[in-house]
Every structure is written in C-alpha cells, then in structure tokens.
Amino acid sequence: MSGIAYLSVSNINQTGKLEGKPMSQLQADKTAIENVVDVYSTTISRSDAEALVSLFTHDGVVMAPDAPTMAGAGQLKAFFDHGFTMIRMNAKIHVDEIAVSGEYAFARCHSEVHMTLLETNVSHFEENRELFVFRKDSGTWKIARYMFNKLPAAH
C-alpha cells in the first residue's frame, strides 16, 4: 500500500466536512475520484453504455485486452454497446491507490467480475487489475484513460 488515506463518502456531510473539519482539496479530489470509480462499477453492472461514456472526457480512451484502442465518445459508446450485446457483468472495483497532481490523477484498482455470456448463459468469474487516469473537466473528475487486464491464474 502507498500510505494514501482513503475516505468514505459516509464520513462526509453536505458542507464538505469530514468529522467536523473542512476537507482539504486533496481529500475532496480523492473522494470524488473514488465516487467515479464506484459509479463506473455500478454502471458497468447495469450495462448502461451511455452512462458509462458520460464518465469519460470527450477524448477518453479505453485499452482493453485483445481489443483495439477505443478513443472518443463515439468509439467508446460503440465498444460498450457491442460488449453489452454479448456479456452481462456484475463488477466490484476496489481502489488500491489514488494519486492526484493538479488536473490529473490516477487510480490503481483491482476488481472481481462475474461475467455471463448471453448467447449461452454460461458464467465465469475473473479478477482484473485496473488503471484509471483522470482529468478534471470543468471542475469534475472524468476518466481520461482506462486500461485493465486479467490477473494471472496463480496470483
């Protein structure tokens, strides 16, 4: 672990205070980024391509294993739409590390994904490593780059 503190949304009140103290900008940024990761995980599980694309910057990029690099809202929407015609996923993404530097940040994560092939209704479980690069867009953290790969069988 990197020693970066993680905050739970439940500890933050409506005035942006944590345990009675004003949140630092860094704490607020990390919490906002954790929220985007949580929404991404939930949205993937709902198979909602349009909502997923809205989490990305206009020039967002996805680099998935065994697939071409997808860039921009149009390609991302087509990629997610196509994927959701073939598989249903129930994903839980866990944040391992967040680093923020100015208008950019990254989140290193791991996930557990229960996948069902819709054509055959056959399911399997996989674990992935995830790397999100975020960029602040009009004051809101958005996913600028996203890449993942499957954990080796014996990890």
Side-chain angles (χ1 to χ4, degrees), residues 1-3 6 11 13 19 26 28 30-31 39 42 73 79 89 98-99 105 109 116-117 133 140 145 147 153:
M1 279 286 178
S2 67
Y6 297 100
N11 294 337
N13 65 27
E19 299 174 3
L26 181 60
K30 287 180 180 180
T31 299
V39 170
T42 301
F79 173 75
M89 294 181 276
I98 294 175
C109 307
T116 302
L117 299 172
V133 177
T140 301
R145 305 292 182 266
M147 127 183 275

Side-chain angles (χ1 to χ4, degrees), residues 121-140:
N121 206 35
V122 173
S123 295
H124 72 277
F125 176 81
E126 68 181 48
E127 295 176 286
N128 295 302
R129 295 177 286 197
E130 325 251 345
L131 184 63
F132 293 87
V133 177
F134 293 89
R135 185 174 70 222
K136 232 177 203 181
D137 186 14
S138 300
T140 301

Side-chain angles (χ1 to χ4, degrees), residues 22-79:
M23 285 179 44
S24 72
Q25 185 59 51
L26 181 60
Q27 289 171 319
D29 287 338
K30 287 180 180 180
T31 299
I33 289 165
E34 283 184 331
N35 289 339
V36 175
V37 172
D38 286 343
V39 170
Y40 182 89
S41 181
T42 301
T43 305
I44 261 236
S45 296
R46 286 193 337 252
S47 301
D48 188 342
E50 192 167 321
L52 277 172
V53 172
S54 75
L55 298 174
F56 284 81
T57 59
H58 73 280
D59 60 347
V61 173
V62 171
M63 295 172 283
D66 303 318
T69 298
M70 301 295 150
Q75 286 186 4
L76 295 181
K77 175 96 166 50
F79 173 75

Side-chain angles (χ1 to χ4, degrees), residues 81-145:
D81 277 338
H82 177 70
F84 294 144
T85 65
M86 298 186 312
I87 58 175
R88 182 176 59 245
M89 294 181 276
N90 185 3
K92 179 58 183 155
I93 301 173
H94 307 275
V95 175
D96 298 315
E97 174 184 13
I98 294 175
V100 178
S101 180
E103 299 299 305
Y104 285 90
F106 74 80
R108 182 178 57 84
C109 307
H110 69 280
S111 64
E112 295 102 22
V113 184
H114 181 258
M115 300 181 72
T116 302
L117 299 172
L118 297 175
E119 186 176 336
T120 62
N121 206 35
V122 173
S123 295
H124 72 277
F125 176 81
E126 68 181 48
E127 295 176 286
N128 295 302
R129 295 177 286 197
E130 325 251 345
L131 184 63
F132 293 87
V133 177
F134 293 89
R135 185 174 70 222
K136 232 177 203 181
D137 186 14
S138 300
T140 301
W141 287 105
K142 298 248 182 184
I143 302 166
R145 305 292 182 266

